[in-house]
Amino acid sequence: MPTTTAADPTLSADQLAAFRRDGVVVLPHRFRADEVAVMHDALDELLAEDVPQNIREKSSGVVRTAMGLHLRHEVFARLVHDPRLLAPAHQVLGPGPLYAQQVKVNVKEAFTGEQWQWHYDFATHHHEDDVPEPLALNLHVFLDEVTEFNGPLMFVRGSHRDGPVATSLDTVTTSYPLWTVGPEVVGPLAERGGLISPKGPAGTMLMFGDTIVHASPPNLSPWPRRIFSLIVNPVGNRQRSDRRADHFHHRDLTPLG
Ligand code: SIN
Ligand code: MN
């Protein structure tokens, strides 16, 4: 069975099958420690900036999410073209052009990082940006070790196969409006498929799609949980509304790669 190597960033048949079955695939040791260290340095610079792209936690005011990163630092400008991120996306979506829809780090700071409610990404992409189809892929890179303590993501295994489920708009709980999935929907889906909570060392990559239901608890631990996230979308499936600021959904459709 072929495995993924630095030289060959494509997913193995098993990894692709896991993605299709579960809705998320976990790729440990995708980025080296020295590469992650460079990203930390770049991120430290960006988090010190007082700009609208740094979205803050409601209660503590610390940065929750730093957005538009490929336009703000050359380290992230390079990262969005990395074949280790893009090759798996093209395996799923085909060879057509992909653009960077959103480029961010969710910081989940030690002690103060707040929750992400149950949701799936397409609800926001569709309702806010008028994206036609749930084709976008979310490519994560852990910038810290993710453990049971520091607010790991939880995915409802297989929930992507039900298509977009019912949502409602929450403008109160989180630091920007989020289309969330209620307990009456999450409960039965989780009873059926169970939850997956990927953990692993810094440098681990995740790929998941636009309709898998996911959430994450607050970070009460003394360790941050920084995760880089690149959302890619086929150019042919681009947004039809520009009402949100560019850093929420970039308007530059130049193909990545
Ligand atoms: C998280 O960073 O915990 C949530 C990220 C997401 O919903 O994509
Ligand atoms: Mn999400």
Side-chain angles (χ1 to χ4, degrees), residues 42-70:
L43 185 62
D44 286 347
E45 286 175 34
L46 297 176
L47 292 181
E49 295 176 358
D50 188 10
V51 291
Q53 291 89 339
N54 285 349
I55 295 160
R56 293 173 190 276
E57 300 282 13
K58 275 194 168 158
S59 52
S60 65
V62 302
V63 177
R64 172 180 174 84
T65 302
M67 289 186 158
L69 300 189
H70 63 316

Side-chain angles (χ1 to χ4, degrees), residues 106 108 116 119 121 138 140 153 208 214 216 225:
N106 288 339
K108 251 289 169 114
W116 262 265
H119 70 283
D121 296 346
N138 201 326
H140 279 192
L153 280 122
F208 58 94
H214 57 282
S216 66
R225 193 232 60 180

Side-chain angles (χ1 to χ4, degrees), residues 17-219:
F19 172 77
R20 295 200 194 286
R21 182 188 64 234
D22 297 336
V24 55
V25 63
V26 186
L27 306 167
H29 307 297
R30 191 81 165 168
F31 290 83
R32 299 187 312 273
D34 61 298
E35 294 178 295
V36 172
V38 169
M39 294 180 216
H40 281 175
D41 289 346
L43 185 62
D44 286 347
E45 286 175 34
L46 297 176
L47 292 181
E49 295 176 358
D50 188 10
V51 291
Q53 291 89 339
N54 285 349
I55 295 160
R56 293 173 190 276
E57 300 282 13
K58 275 194 168 158
S59 52
S60 65
V62 302
V63 177
R64 172 180 174 84
T65 302
M67 289 186 158
L69 300 189
H70 63 316
L71 303 178
R72 298 171 61 192
H73 203 289
E74 63 180 18
V75 166
F76 296 108
R78 278 198 303 273
L79 184 58
V80 299
H81 294 282
D82 195 302
R84 288 169 291 181
L85 294 172
L86 297 180
H90 279 296
Q91 278 179 276
V92 171
L93 294 171
L98 304 175
Y99 70 97
Q101 172 175 331
Q102 196 180 72
V103 184
K104 65 182 180 288
V105 167
N106 288 339
V107 181
K108 251 289 169 114
E109 191 53 83
F111 295 113
T112 52
E114 292 173 27
Q115 67 172 355
W116 262 265
Q117 292 170 283
W118 287 111
H119 70 283
Y120 57 91
D121 296 346
F122 181 65
T124 297
H125 302 163
H126 187 61
H127 289 296
E128 302 295 334
D129 307 328
D130 200 9
V131 170
E133 298 293 331
L135 301 176
L137 293 172
N138 201 326
L139 310 167
H140 279 192
V141 180
F142 294 178
L143 304 186
D144 295 296
E145 182 179 9
V146 175
T147 69
E148 68 269 43
F149 303 117
N150 62 357
L153 280 122
M154 301 182 286
F155 294 90
V156 181
R157 190 195 303 265
S159 55
H160 63 302
R161 286 191 261 112
D162 293 86
V165 295
T167 52
S168 58
L169 181 62
D170 175 53
T171 54
V172 175
T173 313
T174 56
S175 46
Y176 59 87
L178 190 66
W179 289 84
T180 59
V181 181
E184 70 291 351
V185 177
V186 175
L189 288 174
E191 283 297 327
R192 185 192 69 189
L195 300 179
I196 315 177
S197 181
K199 324 274 192 333
T204 299
M205 176 182 161
L206 307 182
M207 179 171 74
F208 58 94
D210 228 14
T211 57
I212 188 166
V213 176
H214 57 282
S216 66
N219 182 9

